[in-house]
């Protein structure tokens, strides 16, 4: 049976985004393990010999002129991602048609990368809920998750790889579009939310068109102001502020985020800072804040 592919409008999206990222290409894959892994491997494969690359290119299909080993920006979308990854090696299950999974790769020269995932999450939340209620339905769980109505909606994974004198950032995004029946245990531990609760009838291509431009603007503008330019906007959607939580083995109450994007916690009367790294942060069982 032929696959039921979605209409992504990739060419019109490319026309909208390419002026923001000259040299950008957009590719849509029917199925892949992880869009982040694909893009990272393309960069790493630059170290192969020119002969190997020439042979591999012969049968490749590029997206709007892209070759697999170009170092130009690329937006890679997967209709079905079979082995998506989150922080700390967690797998992210995505049923075909039920999720939006994509990665953006681009050269990025930053003196300080602190808080980039927070800015990306904030930009996407604002794009998806531009006129939020008080408190917003879409909130941000430090350091890289989006939650809707107190349940996990999606996540962000930022990885980097060196290519010669350049550093390439690969920004992976996974968002639930509609309910799905299966997933790994960790994916449902925080509840499950999907964007059709926020906008009934939303499709993955429509969501991509909403978030792609704000994402690119957030990333390319990050070098100018760092997370400090986003701190106030993040605080408006901070899920953890004022909530009992556990970070690693430390228990305390969320107290916002620092100008460097660190998690602030009040622990037995003392203010502590937590850097992202490989620390797992969980809300403690408590009544959710009133909506």
């Amino acid at each position: 049976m032929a696959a039921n592919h979605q209409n992504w409008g990739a060419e019109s999206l490319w026309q909208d985004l390419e002026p923001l990222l000259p040299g950008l290409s957009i590719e849509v894959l029917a199925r892949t393990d992880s869009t982040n892994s694909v893009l990272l491997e393309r960069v790493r494969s630059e170290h192969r010999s020119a002969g190997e690359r020439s042979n591999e290119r012969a049968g490749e299909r590029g997206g709007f002129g892209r070759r697999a080993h170009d170092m130009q920006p690329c937006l890679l979308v997967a209709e079905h991602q079979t082995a998506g990854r989150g922080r700390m090696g967690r797998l992210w299950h995505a049923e075909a048609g039920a999720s939006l999974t994509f990665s953006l790769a681009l050269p990025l020269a930053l003196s300080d990368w602190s808080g980039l995932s927070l800015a990306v999450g904030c930009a996407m939340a604002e794009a998806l809920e531009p006129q939020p209620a008080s408190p917003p339905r879409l909130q941000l769980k430090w350091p890289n998750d989006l939650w809707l109505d107190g349940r996990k909606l999606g996540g962000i994974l930022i990885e980097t790889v060196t290519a010669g004198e350049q550093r390439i950032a690969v920004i992976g995004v996974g968002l639930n579009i509609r309910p799905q029946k299966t997933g790994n245990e960790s994916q449902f531990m925080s509840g499950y939310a999907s964007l059709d609760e926020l906008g009934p009838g939303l499709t993955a291509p429509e969501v991509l068109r909403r978030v792609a431009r704000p994402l690119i603007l957030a990333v390319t503008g990050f070098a100018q102001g760092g997370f400090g330019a986003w701190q106030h906007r993040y605080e408006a959607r901070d899920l953890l502020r004022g909530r009992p939580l556990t970070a690693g083995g430390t228990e305390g109450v969320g107290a916002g985020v620092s100008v460097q994007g660190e998690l602030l916690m009040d622990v037995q009367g003392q203010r502590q800072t937590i850097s992202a790294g490989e620390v797992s942060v969980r809300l403690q069982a408590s009544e959710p804040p009133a909506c």
Side-chain angles (χ1 to χ4, degrees):
M1 182 181 294
N4 184 21
H5 299 298
Q6 301 185 76
N7 180 9
W8 292 90
E11 186 170 5
S12 64
L13 182 62
W14 175 79
Q15 291 172 344
D16 181 46
L17 301 180
E18 201 273 342
L20 303 177
L21 273 181
L24 174 72
S25 63
I26 297 177
E27 299 177 48
V28 179
L29 302 179
R31 179 186 176 95
T32 193
D33 55 354
S34 161
T35 52
N36 262 37
S37 295
V38 169
L39 292 176
L40 288 168
E41 178 56 29
R42 287 183 181 179
V43 176
R44 293 183 180 121
S45 64
E46 275 294 292
H47 298 294
R48 298 175 185 169
S49 70
E52 287 177 314
R53 294 200 302 270
S54 178
N55 291 336
E56 289 172 0
R57 285 173 179 167
E60 288 180 348
R61 177 181 62 84
F64 298 101
R66 181 179 175 83
R67 296 167 306 192
H69 302 281
D70 288 341
M71 290 295 99
Q72 297 298 314
C74 179
L75 178 64
L76 181 66
V77 183
E79 291 194 324
H80 184 196
Q81 183 169 258
T82 61
R85 295 180 288 110
R87 288 180 69 243
M88 304 177 71
R90 296 189 182 100
L91 292 179
W92 179 265
H93 180 83
E95 287 184 4
S99 302
L100 169 63
T101 51
F102 71 92
S103 297
L104 173 69
L106 73 166
L108 200 58
L110 296 178
S111 58
D112 186 0
W113 293 71
S114 303
L116 178 59
S117 66
L118 281 65
V120 168
C122 191
M124 291 198 299
E126 291 176 350
L128 294 168
E129 189 189 28
Q131 296 180 317
S134 182
R137 293 183 64 189
L138 261 178
Q139 294 182 286
L140 302 165
K141 178 179 175 289
W142 185 94
N144 66 337
D145 288 344
L146 289 88
W147 282 39
L148 174 64
D149 296 338
R151 291 164 286 129
K152 187 171 179 177
L153 175 71
I156 299 156
L157 178 65
I158 300 180
E159 300 177 283
T160 66
V161 62
T162 300
E165 297 182 354
Q166 295 186 99
R167 193 172 181 186
I168 307 296
V170 179
I171 301 161
V173 175
L175 295 171
N176 303 323
I177 303 298
R178 59 176 176 78
Q180 60 181 5
K181 297 179 181 179
T182 60
N184 61 75
E185 182 180 354
S186 65
Q187 196 167 330
F188 292 102
M189 286 177 61
S190 303
Y192 182 96
S194 54
L195 277 170
D196 65 353
E197 301 173 45
L198 190 66
L202 276 176
T203 66
E206 289 170 342
V207 174
L208 178 63
R209 183 167 288 277
R210 285 195 192 185
V211 302
R213 172 178 278 266
L215 167 62
I216 290 173
L217 291 173
V219 174
T220 56
F222 195 80
Q224 283 69 54
F227 178 67
W230 290 88
Q231 185 181 20
H232 179 71
R233 292 158 71 176
Y234 183 91
E235 287 177 348
R237 295 182 183 269
D238 188 352
L239 176 75
L240 301 182
R241 190 179 185 94
R243 305 279 298 277
L245 56 91
T246 301
T250 303
E251 295 185 358
V253 176
V257 292
S258 73
V259 71
Q260 289 81 29
E262 301 161 314
L263 174 65
L264 301 179
M265 288 180 62
D266 288 335
V267 180
Q268 297 181 350
Q270 300 294 320
R271 179 66 51 87
Q272 294 189 14
T273 60
I274 308 292
S275 298
E278 291 297 297
V279 175
S280 177
V281 178
R282 298 185 184 278
L283 286 167
Q284 297 178 11
S286 63
E287 290 297 320
C291 293

